[in-house]
Amino acid sequence: MGNSAGELRREGRGSAGSVWPRMDELPYSVEVTDTTAAIADRFPNLEPGAETGSVVAVAGRLMLRRVQGKLAFGTLADHTGRLQLFAPSASTPEFDAFCALNLGDWISVSGEVMTTRRGELSVRVDAWQMLAATRRSFPDKWHGITDPDTRFRQRYVDLWVTENSRAALAARSRIVSLIRRFMESRDYMEVETPIFHPIPGGALARPFVTHHNALDLDLYLRIAPELYLKRLVVGGFPRVFELGRVFRNEGLSPRHNPEFTMLECYEAYGDYEVHMALTEQLVESLAREICGTTQITYDGRELNLSAPWRRVPLAQLVSETIGREVSVHSPIDELRTLCEEHGVPIKESYGTGKLLLELYEKTTEHTLWEPIFVTDYPKEVSPLSRDHRDDPLLTERFEGIVAGRELCNGFSELCDPDEQRARFEDQAAQKAGGDDEAMAVDEDYLRALDYGLPPTVGLGIGIDRLVMLLTDTTTIRDVVLFPTLRPEVTE
RNA sequence: GCCCUCGUAGCCAAGUGGUCAAGGCAGCGGACUUUUAAUCCGAAGAUCGUGGGUUCGAAUCCCACCGGGGGCACCA
């Protein structure tokens, strides 16, 4: 593909000459009193031909322009919306230059708020100045950009011409802000733990590797903050959360970006029931704030996010799907046969827990639409979760599934250092056996557990997917400002 | 990584073997004092992603490469 940057061209400009504007003529600052939305809010019901006597100063980009000889109309866009500019030649300073503005130019305008004969709310251009010129032409003013590649690479243009883009990304910002407020209102303390990890841990995933020169040390970009956050609980902070980027060296898809944002939080003295309640309350409150309702539409289907959500053990769900009673206690050959029957690829090394999980993921997970907590995952596939109080082969772990996709993962935390060491060693053996995603033994984390981790529950929520859910978008690239792409080829 | 699919001017977009590759927007020149994607007139703008090949003839068919999208695999 070619270099698809906007065409570089700025000539003519009517009588204003070919070098206009000169960069040294552009202002260093400008007064702005109002956003376009604030003006629309303040004057909701003006009659046609009204004059308000109210003078405002607005700034943004000129998105449309309608010049008719001695009278010109413009449409100014800012981050809140659009507003018409009304420019009669008799009163507009440098009227010809105003008419010669290009679509996309940054300008500021001050003047009286009024309405036209047709009743359109406008600002009369009593004074104006250019703030920055576009020297590349803006996309088609009606069609915008349709090519996703161009949209993601030139997000700075996309945000102006694709309303959904701007709306989804603004919603993301608001969701992140609301999450912070929610957590703080429950006495959680926000912390920042390392992104460089000497031992990647806290999740099953392949990490990115980097290198520190002075220490001559390979470091890994974190795949999860989990183990550091639990060290902080050991350190005496009973409620901590981190809202930050994690990195996983995996394929890209409409639901995967190599760097994504995760909320992780830990609460001492609680078990997994506590965080199931927290999750459903958080999601419900976000839905109310962002969507105005808990009865949302996602990908064309209705979905009710109201708490409480169903809680169903994983083995029970699988049993319902395949019409046969199964559990981690089922004979391993029976589970292998069932996997085969359902077209689930398996490995010799899989125990009953892993086989059950595979069955669940391939046959059941995608069928779950309404929010549900799938609980009591096999110990074999949950190396950081605490044993289930009623069944030694299970853990007190849950995943929240919404619209057929995993939204979060949480569990009563494994506090027993000996048991944790055994689980780490089991993981390390799998890693030695060629599993790139298995965990390594983290001796310092084990030392922390030796000092005592109180009963604790932890939770991780994928923020990108949560934003997708609440903004009704089906591709993660629509909720990530600058999604990972191959570098553009430039000649 | 594998499979399918797409790539025509700054943007949108017709054209699927046959004269000099439609049209629109933006940009440029001109007309126009209440428009709403304003309208009208004029001129200009294209290595048809890149490189090979088949053919008398390729945007169109074949191969490779580059980039995108979808799916599979893996995960959140």
Side-chain angles (χ1 to χ4, degrees), chain A residues 159-207:
Chain A
L159 289 168
W160 286 99
V161 300
T162 310
E163 172 57 26
N164 284 347
S165 239
R166 204 177 57 102
L169 291 160
R172 178 186 183 120
S173 172
R174 213 160 140 247
I175 288 166
V176 169
S177 167
L178 289 166
I179 289 171
R180 282 209 164 84
R181 226 183 290 168
F182 180 93
M183 297 308 291
E184 285 165 357
S185 75
R186 280 161 178 72
D187 291 325
Y188 279 81
M189 180 178 82
E190 182 167 11
V191 296
E192 296 174 282
T193 63
I195 286 174
F196 294 138
H197 287 189
I199 300 168
L204 301 171
R206 288 176 60 186

Side-chain angles (χ1 to χ4, degrees), chain A residues 71-213:
Chain A
L71 177 64
F73 299 89
T75 299
L76 183 81
D78 67 11
H79 64 289
T80 64
R82 294 184 170 200
L83 184 66
Q84 178 163 275
L85 304 174
F86 178 79
S89 59
S91 64
T92 302
E94 297 184 83
F95 179 76
D96 289 342
F98 182 82
C99 294
L101 286 168
N102 281 180
L103 298 193
D105 284 344
W106 286 89
I107 56 172
S108 67
V109 169
S110 68
E112 181 175 355
V113 178
M114 39 84 64
T115 55
T116 59
R117 269 182 216 164
R118 298 264 174 108
E120 173 101 8
L121 183 69
S122 308
V123 171
R124 198 202 315 119
V125 182
D126 296 332
W128 69 277
Q129 73 185 134
M130 180 181 273
L131 307 179
T134 349
R135 36 183 213 184
R136 297 176 190 257
S137 30
F138 250 50
D140 189 285
K141 64 189 177 189
W142 186 247
H143 298 97
I145 307 174
T146 57
D147 178 19
D149 187 35
T150 308
R151 287 186 49 222
F152 302 142
R153 288 190 199 280
Q154 301 188 46
R155 189 67 98 178
Y156 36 81
V157 181
D158 179 50
L159 289 168
W160 286 99
V161 300
T162 310
E163 172 57 26
N164 284 347
S165 239
R166 204 177 57 102
L169 291 160
R172 178 186 183 120
S173 172
R174 213 160 140 247
I175 288 166
V176 169
S177 167
L178 289 166
I179 289 171
R180 282 209 164 84
R181 226 183 290 168
F182 180 93
M183 297 308 291
E184 285 165 357
S185 75
R186 280 161 178 72
D187 291 325
Y188 279 81
M189 180 178 82
E190 182 167 11
V191 296
E192 296 174 282
T193 63
I195 286 174
F196 294 138
H197 287 189
I199 300 168
L204 301 171
R206 288 176 60 186
F208 287 92
V209 192
T210 187
H211 187 79
H212 188 278
N213 289 339

Side-chain angles (χ1 to χ4, degrees), chain A residues 17-63:
Chain A
S18 61
V19 294
W20 182 80
R22 288 173 38 179
M23 290 306 289
D24 60 6
E25 292 172 338
L26 297 174
Y28 281 73
S29 70
V30 64
E31 188 195 19
V32 177
T33 63
D34 290 274
T35 62
T36 60
I39 293 165
D41 285 349
R42 198 167 346 133
F43 301 102
N45 296 310
L46 293 179
E47 296 294 309
E51 294 186 356
T52 64
S54 177
V55 172
V56 297
V58 291
R61 289 185 117 117
L62 185 70
M63 300 305 284

